[in-house]
Amino acid sequence: MNPADVHKTAFRTHNGHYEFLVMPFGLTNAPSTFQSVMNDVLRDYLRKFALVFFDDILVYSPSMEAHLDHLEKVFQKLQQHSLKVKHSKCSFGVSQVEYLGHVISRAGVAVDPAKIECIKNWEKPQTIKGLRRFLGLAGYYRKYVRNFGIIAKTLTDMLKVGGFQWSSTSEAAFEELKQALMSTPVLPLPDFTKEFVVEYDASGIGIGAILSQEGHPIAYLSKALAPRHVHWRPYLLGNHFKIYTDHRTIQYFLNQKISTPSQQRWLLKLVGYDYSIHYKTGKTNVAPDALSRKEELHGVHSDVISKYGNLYASTGISSPVHSYINEIQATCLKDMEAGEIIRQLEQDPTSEPQYSLVNSQLLYKGMIFVLKSDNWRTKIIHEFHNGYCGGHAGVHRTQKRVARFFPGPACTRILRQLLQLVILVNKIIMKPSTLLACFNQM
């Protein structure tokens, strides 16, 4: 301690008052001060053959001869600054070491089995604080888990005010996340002399990507779309890397005329990176595509329902909501068959395995149940073709959108008949009104 600051550490006991002569970690700025000291002591060797986190020093070398030389240099620095190490807490000349909750070896980086054993025996949290503790520990190892952000989404939504309610969905997410953490792979260490490969795929609601080298994944990323996700800049900046995407037009992004404000913003964000863009079909772009289109993202969440309405909650779209959307729910309550299913589910949620009830909304296989009556099929097709999220897409694309969000019994026959319309579309130029007219006759 600086002699002028010793009196600031005074504390009282039953035997009198005492002061610290050395810096205790209990002080507010003590951890950052100690980390700063360690960085200054080993500054010449950091990221060359040494890493330091508070009092944990990691020395790594390509050979035993180099390791002995590196250890000698580190000990000389510590001795020069009057710092000591405890022999019982040190490991020398090992091929595998536990460091900050990770196990580092020649094969790569893996999670610490002791930490995973703790997660394995973790009981279901009963409070928000308990859930936050679990997600904090699990999130520390998120880069090892494919789909982590999507699997944990249901649990993170429970952290919101008034959202802590355990359901079958959150229970399943809790167990799935535990299982995923117990089967994490060993991720190879990045080699900055080799080329990195980024494979990504994005949908309207999520993004999935894999950072790899020579076909071996180094890190995973899977999240619902949010602004400014920059995770891999340290890996990519200063090195050439490839970008594989299933969006063909992006392949020619650098060769086309930049004319729109959006393109100008995208280009500015990519300035400084050395990269090339390659097209990869969706069928071969399997891993990132699966990360971005995980089916859990299409589930209906109460906070989205209350804000945007049931139809847009299921599609993950935040857009203007038409007045008839909530009428789907009211129609189900009036229908005799659907009303009976709803009453059974209210009494016993497991009475109808294919159906579920969320905020009084009847779901079939996790998607909104649509009746055959009241021309709801026409309204759905109109919305997915002419609406705010439609963009006047063709029959095939409209069919896929409907099938993704409305796979209930009432839509099965619709999709089958839409396939028959493909032949008609190939023969004539079909206007949206013509499509709806044909659809009304189904």
Side-chain angles (χ1 to χ4, degrees), residues 370-411:
V370 182
L371 295 170
K372 298 180 181 180
S373 60
D374 293 338
N375 293 325
W376 284 119
R377 308 178 208 170
T378 304
K379 295 177 181 179
I380 291 172
I381 291 295
H382 183 277
E383 181 61 36
F384 279 85
H385 184 269
N386 291 358
Y388 294 102
C389 61
H392 295 275
V395 173
H396 284 294
R397 185 169 295 180
T398 303
Q399 171 201 349
K400 290 180 179 179
R401 286 175 177 171
V402 175
R404 185 184 302 168
F405 302 120
F406 297 92
C411 293

Side-chain angles (χ1 to χ4, degrees), residues 220-351:
Y220 297 104
L221 171 65
S222 174
K223 283 196 174 188
L225 287 178
R228 297 179 179 85
H229 285 136
V230 182
H231 290 276
W232 297 340
R233 180 182 174 89
Y235 294 97
L236 304 178
L237 194 61
N239 300 285
H240 178 79
F241 60 94
K242 298 177 181 178
I243 300 176
Y244 289 95
T245 175
D246 63 354
H247 194 175
R248 185 185 293 273
T249 57
I250 294 181
Q251 181 181 5
Y252 308 104
F253 176 68
L254 297 178
N255 300 325
Q256 64 184 359
K257 182 179 180 181
I258 307 300
S259 57
T260 67
S262 297
Q263 291 176 328
Q264 294 172 1
R265 288 195 299 269
W266 300 338
L267 188 61
L268 286 175
K269 289 182 179 294
L270 294 172
V271 169
Y273 291 97
D274 181 15
Y275 61 94
S276 56
I277 304 175
H278 303 268
Y279 172 68
K280 193 173 184 180
T281 61
K283 292 182 179 179
T284 57
N285 203 30
V286 177
D289 187 74
L291 292 180
S292 73
R293 303 179 188 277
K294 190 79 163 60
E295 62 182 3
E296 282 86 343
L297 276 179
H298 304 306
V300 180
H301 301 288
S302 59
D303 57 330
V304 182
I305 290 175
S306 61
K307 188 173 182 180
Y308 299 116
N310 295 321
L311 177 58
Y312 284 90
S314 68
T315 60
I317 299 174
S318 175
S319 299
V321 180
H322 296 285
S323 59
Y324 66 77
I325 292 178
N326 290 329
E327 296 177 13
I328 297 178
Q329 178 178 345
T331 305
C332 289
L333 294 174
K334 296 177 181 179
D335 183 78
M336 182 178 299
E337 180 182 355
E340 180 62 26
I341 295 176
I342 292 175
R343 284 188 290 272
Q344 292 180 6
L345 291 174
E346 289 176 342
Q347 296 176 1
D348 182 7
T350 62
S351 60

Side-chain angles (χ1 to χ4, degrees), residues 65 75 83 109 204 333 360:
E65 293 76 12
F75 281 135
L83 295 173
V109 184
L333 294 174
S360 301

Side-chain angles (χ1 to χ4, degrees), residues 107-264:
V109 184
V111 299
D112 188 347
K115 302 293 185 181
I116 297 303
E117 187 67 24
C118 176
I119 292 178
K120 179 181 178 180
N121 300 323
W122 202 295
E123 297 182 356
K124 183 176 73 174
Q126 302 299 323
T127 62
I128 291 182
K129 184 177 181 180
L131 178 60
R132 189 175 287 112
R133 288 179 56 207
F134 171 77
L135 290 175
L137 178 58
Y140 186 67
Y141 297 110
R142 66 180 303 140
K143 77 171 186 176
Y144 295 91
V145 180
R146 180 180 297 184
N147 299 332
F148 179 92
I150 302 173
I151 297 173
K153 180 174 175 56
T154 303
L155 300 178
T156 54
D157 287 343
M158 293 174 59
L159 298 177
K160 299 177 181 178
V161 178
F164 187 79
Q165 288 185 336
W166 281 96
S167 63
S168 57
T169 304
S170 55
E171 183 73 26
F174 178 69
E175 295 298 331
E176 184 179 359
L177 188 57
K178 288 174 59 177
Q179 186 61 37
L181 289 167
M182 289 186 289
S183 56
T184 53
V186 177
L187 299 178
L189 295 171
D191 186 347
F192 290 93
T193 63
K194 298 179 180 179
E195 187 177 57
F196 287 94
V197 175
V198 177
E199 299 178 64
Y200 87 96
D201 185 75
S203 62
I205 51 179
I207 183 172
I210 298 176
L211 179 68
S212 61
Q213 278 185 326
E214 299 181 340
H216 301 290
I218 294 176
Y220 297 104
L221 171 65
S222 174
K223 283 196 174 188
L225 287 178
R228 297 179 179 85
H229 285 136
V230 182
H231 290 276
W232 297 340
R233 180 182 174 89
Y235 294 97
L236 304 178
L237 194 61
N239 300 285
H240 178 79
F241 60 94
K242 298 177 181 178
I243 300 176
Y244 289 95
T245 175
D246 63 354
H247 194 175
R248 185 185 293 273
T249 57
I250 294 181
Q251 181 181 5
Y252 308 104
F253 176 68
L254 297 178
N255 300 325
Q256 64 184 359
K257 182 179 180 181
I258 307 300
S259 57
T260 67
S262 297
Q263 291 176 328
Q264 294 172 1

Side-chain angles (χ1 to χ4, degrees), residues 72-86:
E72 183 178 1
K73 291 180 179 179
V74 170
F75 281 135
Q76 288 175 351
K77 282 289 186 180
L78 295 177
Q79 185 179 31
Q80 179 182 345
H81 292 82
S82 302
L83 295 173
K84 300 179 178 61
V85 296
K86 192 172 184 178

